Amino acid sequence: MNSLAVKTEGLTKVYKDFWKRKSVSALTNLNLEIKHGEIFGLLGPNGSGKTTTVKLLLGFLHPTRGKSWLLDEPSGHVKTKNKIGFLPEESYLYKFLTAEEILDFYGKLFNLSRKERQKRIDELIHIVGLHPYRKRLLSKYSKGMLRRIGLAQAIINDPELIILDEPTSGLDPLGRREIKELIRTLNQQGKTILLSSHLLSDVQSICNRIAILNNGVLQVTGKVNELLSRSDVTEFLVKNLSDSDLESVKEFIRGKNGEVISMHPHLSTLEELFVNIIQHRK
Amino acid sequence: MILTLAIHTVREAIRKKIPHILISLGAIVLAISPFISTTHEPDALPKIMLTVFFQAVALLCVTGIILFSAVSLPHDIENKTIFSILSKPVSQFKFVAGRTLGFALLAAFILVALGLVNIISVFFASAHLPPEHRGIFKARKEFGAHHFHIQGKIHHEKEGIRWVMGGREGIAIWHFSHLHEKAKNIPPFEVELRLKLDSSRNVADTIPLSIGIEGIQSKENKTELVSAKADETVTLGIPPEIIRKNNDIKITVFPTLTADYIGTAHNTIKVFSIQKGFVFNYAKALAITFLKFLLIIAIAVMGSAYLSAFVSILSAFAVFLCGHLLDFIKDFSLLLHHSGAHEHGLPGMIKKPSGFMIYMDYFFKKPLEWISFILPDFKKFDILSYLLKGIDIPIETIGFSAGYTVLYVAICTLISYILLKKREFF
Ligand SMILES: Nc1ncnc2c1ncn2[C@@H]1O[C@H](COP(=O)(O)OP(=O)(O)OP(=O)(O)O)[C@@H](O)[C@H]1O
Ligand SMILES: [Mg+2]
């Protein structure tokens, strides 16, 4: 059998209320296979079943039908969790601890030695950019800071598989870029990453493969560049050409029976502008 | 791992200032206790202090611990902080066990802190007590007589009391056996007499008694003359050299004057060995109180594994109260049983049980019987009377309550684990 990082078979979840009457079909018959070393994006609008999928994978919820495996062990297997990192949708952390203390606590739950913990904590606090606030209580953290510490705790055990539920939510553009870079770095170290998001640009820029959910039903799954590429359209981005040069390029294309769909001065994105300004201030 | 979770729990409590609040409240109650008006017995004050601690302060602590332990798990689930634990390699069992251990550590800490305050103030309050009123500071082990008879004449017998006239007309003799097993580490022994006294003399303030203590094995004996007052217990030390050589002793008592009488019975005289002393006994009492706390914690955690915070607080309190009222519940279910049995005495016509009785049986008696079977019986943890009488808490009592608690906690933790395992976290 081929080893897979994540596998689901007909995974279905129907939420029932206490009296088992009203029910919501949050996820219907999901079949997914994520290979080792992929960055997999789970996309979908609000309420499409992304978080439900993640909770089923981790064994917090019991499926109504179907099965799922993480690293070839059934969901909920305790030992496998040594090799898994998880960032929940919101940062549900113990607010009465400081950043250092909470990382130390989670490190202990992974049975890391004191030395290892010390080293990991220093590293991680730097990676997520919280070193000025490492002794501050989490109850005094801002939302984005909580998100960052959440991310740090998700990778404290140097996991093989990292499951991130909307990792960039609540982060400023700089933070988003940093997190995206972090995810890429982790992936280069050979880690498999499953992330859910509805921020399409984030997903597009980092994921190898995606699945799109709507109303709990899988709509499409595949490689990002395959899903997006159109073989009959080509995009140019050129610099330092005069207007007359551009006209002659247009002429040349028409001469080859091509069609120019659009041609306009390039706008840099607001994100680029924002990042430029903030980074220059530092 | 369990310890990590336990320390985490304790830290949570400390950061939320729970021990601070409980210890200061407890200290306030202890500080008020000397002002409770009491009888004028010299040792009333230390006794009140002990009572207040083991009743009121313990109740206060139990309340605090129930509040905290019943709330903590539902909060974890509500605030979804449980995700960050269960996504780590922590089984539900370790989670429950860690939490329970954490609450236990917390309870132990609070108990010891308040216990120290209590014991120190008890020592202060009784610093100036004369020796004969320092009974509570002993931790004695009681020996009853295994044989009792009157040698010579019984003057008369009334209501089970045998009266003996003085001047060797009759001599009351008690035998005590198996006072100690090994020859080493023999504690001091004393004998306590609660005789009834009477006299035909006109002015009889005190009655002179001759008390003999004789070793059965070595035949050594020692006689003492004591003047006894009516209604006062006489306490005599038993000479160590007699105890050292004898496992069994004989105690003889008679009034020296022919005009005096003593009333005796099997249990008039008791022998006590003086064990390690008050502090050790107090520590044992604290330990048993702690076991009681542990039991309630396990129940509160079990409730909170399935119920919401509010409901689990209520149910833990309910169990606590019912545990204390268990005797009442038992009596009540017996009562129902009795009224049912009554019908058999009635003539055949009405012998057929009425619908009402069947109803009572199924809706009250059966559930009550079950409840009294399932509920913890806190009567087994009642140690205050030992302390107040200065009697050593028997090691069997500790063993029994420890075994009881361990069994109970194991079952509760197992149930909590199963409940959590079955549970979904939304
Ligand atoms: N505990 C619950 N009880 C009943 N229905 C629920 C519960 N949790 C989620 N749902 C429903 O299940 C569906 C999927 O929810 P889910 O949280 O998985 O969506 P999502 O894709 O993560 O959305 P978002 O982008 O807003 O985070 C929604 O219709 C939601 O209302
Ligand atoms: Mg979601």
Side-chain angles (χ1 to χ4, degrees):
Chain A
M1 184 181 127
N2 266 348
S3 170
L4 288 168
V6 178
K7 182 178 157 85
T8 70
E9 247 176 41
L11 200 59
T12 302
K13 181 68 190 176
V14 181
Y15 289 110
K16 297 203 175 86
D17 74 352
F18 184 78
W19 307 105
K20 316 240 162 187
R21 285 178 321 198
K22 278 187 209 144
S23 61
V24 180
S25 283
L27 193 65
T28 311
N29 199 21
L30 177 72
N31 294 303
L32 265 190
E33 292 194 350
I34 302 175
K35 295 184 203 68
H36 287 284
E38 280 190 306
I39 304 184
F40 192 93
L42 203 54
L43 276 171
N46 292 138
S48 56
K50 303 183 294 291
T51 301
T52 303
T53 309
V54 166
K55 285 183 185 170
L56 284 166
L57 286 177
L58 285 157
F60 297 153
L61 297 175
H62 306 313
T64 311
R65 271 189 307 282
K67 275 187 164 181
S68 58
W69 294 263
L70 296 183
L71 303 172
D72 301 321
E73 293 286 351
S75 289
H77 186 255
V78 175
K79 284 235 174 72
T80 318
K81 289 180 179 165
N82 272 311
K83 296 184 278 185
I84 293 174
F86 171 55
L87 172 69
E89 187 171 23
E90 275 171 49
S91 305
Y92 309 117
L93 299 164
Y94 292 99
K95 300 273 171 74
F96 58 87
L97 296 176
T98 67
E100 268 180 351
E101 285 168 340
I102 202 152
L103 290 182
D104 193 57
F105 170 57
Y106 291 130
K108 277 187 196 158
L109 292 185
F110 282 111
N111 277 326
L112 301 182
S113 72
R114 174 186 285 270
K115 246 174 90 186
E116 269 177 293
R117 289 201 307 270
Q118 214 94 67
K119 193 171 142 260
R120 268 319 263 167
I121 291 171
D122 276 345
E123 253 172 46
L124 286 173
I125 284 191
H126 268 93
I127 289 176
V128 298
L130 288 175
H131 39 282
Y133 319 108
R134 55 191 297 165
K135 299 219 188 288
R136 193 180 284 185
L137 285 181
L138 296 196
S139 54
K140 306 207 161 68
Y141 264 34
S142 74
K143 191 176 161 197
M145 286 155 83
L146 285 173
R147 206 69 198 138
R148 286 160 189 257
I149 199 73
L151 203 73
Q153 64 83 33
I155 53 177
I156 189 153
N157 56 327
D158 197 15
E160 231 172 86
L161 168 65
I162 306 169
I163 298 177
L164 307 169
D165 198 355
E166 300 193 15
T168 52
S169 81
L171 288 180
D172 57 38
L174 206 61
R176 262 166 64 185
R177 173 170 285 208
E178 282 166 13
I179 297 306
K180 282 191 276 187
E181 259 152 37
L182 175 63
I183 292 174
R184 272 197 214 101
T185 317
L186 290 168
N187 182 243
Q188 276 155 17
Q189 293 165 5
K191 303 182 190 323
T192 313
I193 291 145
L194 165 60
L195 63 89
S196 90
S197 184
H198 44 220
L199 295 173
L200 305 179
S201 62
D202 285 358
V203 173
Q204 187 180 353
S205 60
I206 52 173
C207 291
N208 312 127
R209 276 203 316 141
I210 56 164
I212 298 179
L213 283 175
N214 191 23
N215 281 330
V217 181
L218 182 65
Q219 306 293 322
V220 66
T221 168
K223 288 213 164 85
V224 176
N225 42 18
E226 279 172 17
L227 288 174
L228 295 184
S229 72
R230 288 179 60 184
S231 48
D232 57 341
V233 179
T234 310
E235 212 172 354
F236 288 110
L237 208 57
V238 289
K239 211 174 165 181
N240 296 340
L241 284 186
S242 67
D243 282 356
S244 60
D245 289 343
L246 286 173
E247 267 318 303
S248 45
V249 170
K250 255 188 193 170
E251 278 312 310
F252 179 77
I253 292 172
R254 287 198 192 107
K256 293 283 174 190
N257 279 333
E259 186 194 343
V260 178
I261 300 172
S262 77
M263 195 162 86
H264 48 75
H266 180 68
L267 286 173
S268 65
T269 61
L270 197 51
E271 181 180 330
E272 279 173 63
L273 179 69
F274 184 91
V275 167
N276 269 333
I277 292 172
I278 303 290
Q279 271 175 345
H280 282 304
R281 289 277 155 83
K282 281 199 170 170
Chain B
M1 175 105 57
I2 293 179
L3 196 65
T4 305
L5 288 162
I7 292 169
H8 175 70
T9 306
V10 173
R11 182 140 71 172
E12 173 168 5
I14 292 174
R15 297 263 158 109
K16 291 184 175 163
K17 303 259 186 300
I18 286 163
H20 308 56
I21 295 169
L22 282 181
I23 290 178
S24 26
L25 278 180
I28 290 173
V29 173
L30 286 177
I32 292 173
S33 63
F35 300 104
I36 300 172
S37 67
T38 57
T39 57
H40 292 290
E41 280 175 36
D43 59 354
L45 183 58
K47 280 185 176 170
I48 278 287
M49 288 173 151
L50 287 175
T51 311
V52 165
F53 180 78
F54 283 99
Q55 306 280 19
V57 176
L59 184 66
L60 186 85
C61 292
V62 159
T63 309
I65 299 275
I66 287 183
L67 283 182
F68 182 56
S69 53
V71 153
S72 132
L73 188 54
H75 267 194
D76 254 349
I77 293 170
E78 227 164 85
N79 302 338
K80 309 197 181 186
T81 38
I82 196 167
F83 287 163
S84 70
I85 305 252
L86 292 186
S87 62
K88 312 284 183 280
V90 177
S91 67
Q92 279 92 340
F93 178 75
K94 282 183 177 159
F95 181 69
V96 175
R99 278 280 186 204
T100 309
L101 180 65
F103 301 134
L105 289 178
L106 191 69
F109 173 70
I110 294 174
L111 263 182
V112 168
L114 285 172
L116 277 178
V117 174
N118 183 228
I119 198 168
I120 290 171
S121 45
V122 166
F123 271 118
F124 259 101
S126 46
H128 302 295
L129 282 184
E132 64 267 28
H133 290 297
R134 299 179 68 87
I136 62 162
F137 287 105
K138 294 174 185 163
R140 305 176 303 173
K141 189 172 163 199
E142 183 182 302
F143 294 88
H146 92 272
H147 183 71
F148 160 64
H149 70 283
I150 305 288
Q151 184 186 323
K153 236 177 96 181
I154 299 174
H155 186 265
H156 67 281
E157 190 167 345
K158 197 178 163 192
E159 288 164 359
I161 307 274
R162 298 178 192 176
W163 287 89
V164 171
M165 201 174 102
R168 290 181 188 266
E169 199 199 54
I171 300 175
I173 301 176
W174 290 264
H175 284 267
F176 294 87
S177 54
H178 304 298
L179 294 183
H180 53 85
E181 306 299 328
K182 286 163 264 158
K184 268 189 183 172
N185 297 330
I186 297 171
F189 276 75
E190 65 185 20
V191 50
E192 196 180 273
L193 302 91
R194 290 171 186 274
L195 298 162
K196 300 233 182 305
L197 303 173
D198 204 353
S199 175
S200 56
R201 288 180 287 140
N202 282 338
V203 216
D205 203 16
T206 61
I207 291 181
L209 299 174
S210 162
I211 302 175
I213 300 172
E214 183 183 324
I216 301 289
Q217 281 88 3
S218 72
K219 304 285 180 225
E220 266 174 274
N221 71 54
K222 191 175 178 244
T223 307
E224 261 184 71
L225 282 178
V226 174
S227 0
K229 273 188 204 159
D231 300 331
E232 245 181 35
T233 49
V234 176
T235 309
L236 271 185
I238 300 178
E241 61 274 11
I242 294 188
I243 285 294
R244 207 178 317 125
K245 292 182 200 144
N246 298 278
N247 208 354
D248 308 324
I249 59 168
K250 178 170 116 180
I251 292 175
T252 56
V253 181
F254 61 89
T256 44
L257 304 176
T258 43
D260 296 339
Y261 303 84
I262 54 170
T264 60
H266 195 104
N267 60 2
T268 308
I269 289 194
K270 279 181 180 141
V271 166
F272 294 94
S273 70
I274 300 170
Q275 302 285 335
K276 288 230 172 63
F278 177 65
V279 175
F280 186 61
N281 211 24
Y282 190 90
K284 287 199 259 186
L286 267 191
I288 290 184
T289 310
F290 168 72
L291 289 172
K292 179 160 127 181
F293 279 30
L294 191 56
L295 226 160
I296 297 166
I297 288 169
I299 290 170
V301 169
M302 180 174 75
S304 69
Y306 192 72
L307 306 167
S308 71
F310 182 67
V311 182
S312 52
I313 288 174
L314 281 189
S315 55
F317 272 117
V319 169
F320 181 68
L321 285 182
C322 289
H324 277 281
L325 298 177
L326 199 60
D327 278 338
F328 173 76
I329 294 179
K330 273 183 188 148
D331 290 348
F332 195 62
S333 77
L334 268 183
L335 198 75
L336 289 175
H337 184 75
H338 272 289
S339 54
H342 236 44
E343 307 226 342
H344 297 292
L346 298 173
M349 286 284 287
I350 19 172
K351 201 169 170 181
K352 200 175 61 174
S354 67
F356 179 69
M357 277 321 295
I358 294 178
Y359 172 83
M360 283 297 273
D361 208 56
Y362 276 92
F363 288 89
F364 287 101
K365 205 190 116 214
K366 286 273 151 57
L368 278 178
E369 276 179 2
W370 270 100
I371 287 172
S372 69
F373 181 68
I374 296 171
L375 280 181
D377 187 351
F378 288 120
K379 190 121 204 152
K380 301 184 168 72
F381 295 83
D382 186 21
I383 30 74
L384 183 59
S385 55
Y386 285 110
L387 280 187
L388 292 184
K389 287 185 197 151
I391 292 178
D392 190 49
I393 298 171
I395 201 79
E396 301 87 60
T397 307
I398 296 186
F400 184 82
S401 42
Y404 193 80
T405 306
V406 166
L407 190 72
Y408 227 94
V409 170
I411 292 173
C412 287
T413 310
L414 194 71
I415 294 177
S416 317
Y417 160 66
I418 294 170
L419 288 177
L420 268 195
K421 183 107 186 153
K422 289 226 178 295
R423 210 178 154 154
E424 295 192 299
F425 306 101
F426 296 107

